[in-house]
Amino acid sequence: MIELINFSKSYKSKAAVSDFSMVCRENEITGLIGLNGAGKTTVLKAVCARHFASSGKVLVNNVDCSENAEYVRTVTGFVQEQPDFPRDLRVSEFLTLRAQMFGKKAESLEPLKKQCDLAPIWNEKIGSLSKGQCERVNFAQALVSDPKVLVLDEPASGLDPSQIVRMRKLVLSLKKGRTILLSTHLMQEVEALCDRVCIIVSGKCVESGTPSEVAERAGAKNIEEAFFRLTDGNKS
């Protein structure tokens, strides 16, 4: 479970997110949706204990991220939009090192290798991989510790249609027993994956609930129309 309570984050004198509250439940995929620059990544990094609240609280499995960041980083897998992986390492080498960080043996990677379809690229250097192949490695490194919380930052970004379908299937297969928070501005991903959504505008939550609830309250036919109305996206 993830809970943000009146979370605010400022960089120097500029507020990136203000008084933001949200709950993400186990066995559900929650979509954090907003235009570019709305504050989505700021929220995600706080959930992963990559940075901490200027005020308010961020709880992961009822643990305050600022009080026990090491625990939060252990139970949270983070799929970044633009990961900085060592390009000269082979996929097998990189993931073995990740496994060792969590006290796991290389043999523990076999199920993950199959789950993320890594066999064809297992001995390839990361620097030689395509965007879609890198995304499979990205998911794998996040899943090495078998985290109960999974945070996805724009996982469909830069993927072609077939790769997006494969990514969706993987995300849905990971849902049971986990809390998944997915950041996106693509309404197709919301419709295909999300049980609940939170719409963020200029660092503030302006609406949340199931996609149908959000659409109904916005007087819209669907979540896409609601998104444009609430973000004024048709003018951006």
Side-chain angles (χ1 to χ4, degrees), residues 36-108:
N36 291 334
K40 300 189 299 295
T41 299
T42 296
V43 171
L44 299 192
K45 287 185 175 180
V47 170
C48 297
R50 301 295 182 96
H51 60 204
F52 305 103
S54 301
S55 63
K57 288 188 175 183
V58 181
L59 306 177
V60 173
N61 293 347
N62 296 314
V63 174
D64 191 318
C65 292
S66 64
E67 294 179 359
N68 197 340
E70 183 176 351
Y71 166 81
V72 171
R73 291 168 187 158
T74 299
V75 301
T76 303
F78 189 21
V79 177
Q80 299 183 69
E81 182 180 7
Q82 295 180 329
D84 185 20
F85 295 152
R87 294 175 57 82
D88 289 336
L89 287 185
R90 301 183 189 279
V91 172
S92 57
E93 295 169 337
F94 172 58
L95 293 178
T96 297
L97 288 173
R98 286 284 293 169
Q100 291 172 349
M101 288 174 58
F102 294 101
K104 295 179 177 290
K105 296 181 179 180
E107 292 78 10
S108 68

Side-chain angles (χ1 to χ4, degrees), residues 2 22 24 30 32 43-44 47 150-152 179-183:
I2 299 168
M22 177 180 68
C24 307
T30 300
L32 179 62
V43 171
L44 299 192
V47 170
L150 188 60
V151 178
L152 313 177
T179 303
I180 300 181
L181 174 58
L182 181 154
S183 162

Side-chain angles (χ1 to χ4, degrees), residues 2-224:
I2 299 168
E3 186 173 9
L4 290 91
I5 306 169
N6 304 124
F7 167 72
S8 295
K9 178 66 178 179
S10 298
Y11 299 99
K12 297 182 178 179
S13 60
K14 183 178 180 180
V17 175
S18 302
D19 198 28
F20 184 95
S21 296
M22 177 180 68
V23 175
C24 307
R25 298 173 175 84
E26 188 177 357
N27 299 313
E28 290 187 350
I29 300 172
T30 300
L32 179 62
I33 59 178
L35 301 173
N36 291 334
K40 300 189 299 295
T41 299
T42 296
V43 171
L44 299 192
K45 287 185 175 180
V47 170
C48 297
R50 301 295 182 96
H51 60 204
F52 305 103
S54 301
S55 63
K57 288 188 175 183
V58 181
L59 306 177
V60 173
N61 293 347
N62 296 314
V63 174
D64 191 318
C65 292
S66 64
E67 294 179 359
N68 197 340
E70 183 176 351
Y71 166 81
V72 171
R73 291 168 187 158
T74 299
V75 301
T76 303
F78 189 21
V79 177
Q80 299 183 69
E81 182 180 7
Q82 295 180 329
D84 185 20
F85 295 152
R87 294 175 57 82
D88 289 336
L89 287 185
R90 301 183 189 279
V91 172
S92 57
E93 295 169 337
F94 172 58
L95 293 178
T96 297
L97 288 173
R98 286 284 293 169
Q100 291 172 349
M101 288 174 58
F102 294 101
K104 295 179 177 290
K105 296 181 179 180
E107 292 78 10
S108 68
L109 295 172
E110 285 303 313
L112 196 60
K113 181 178 176 181
K114 181 178 180 180
Q115 186 177 30
C116 295
D117 191 23
L118 296 176
I121 59 172
W122 192 243
N123 293 311
E124 299 296 325
K125 288 190 176 182
I126 293 175
S128 70
L129 302 181
S130 68
K131 171 65 177 177
Q133 291 169 335
C134 278
E135 191 69 345
R136 280 146 56 191
V137 176
N138 200 1
F139 268 86
Q141 63 81 28
L143 293 168
V144 163
S145 64
D146 191 22
K148 295 304 178 184
V149 176
L150 188 60
V151 178
L152 313 177
D153 191 1
E154 302 283 357
S157 177
L159 301 185
D160 66 33
S162 65
Q163 292 167 343
I164 289 174
V165 170
R166 178 181 290 177
M167 180 275 295
R168 288 176 182 168
K169 289 180 179 178
L170 177 57
V171 172
L172 289 171
S173 75
L174 297 169
K175 179 177 168 179
K176 186 176 180 180
R178 288 188 173 90
T179 303
I180 300 181
L181 174 58
L182 181 154
S183 162
T184 186
H185 60 274
L186 301 175
M187 294 305 101
Q188 302 96 314
E189 299 314 304
V190 175
E191 292 171 351
L193 296 171
C194 297
D195 300 287
R196 296 179 181 273
V197 297
C198 176
I199 298 179
I200 183 170
V201 176
S202 300
K204 295 183 178 182
C205 176
V206 297
E207 186 58 274
S208 63
T210 66
S212 60
E213 288 170 346
V214 170
E216 183 178 355
R217 286 196 291 266
K221 296 178 182 178
N222 51 47
I223 187 63
E224 182 175 33

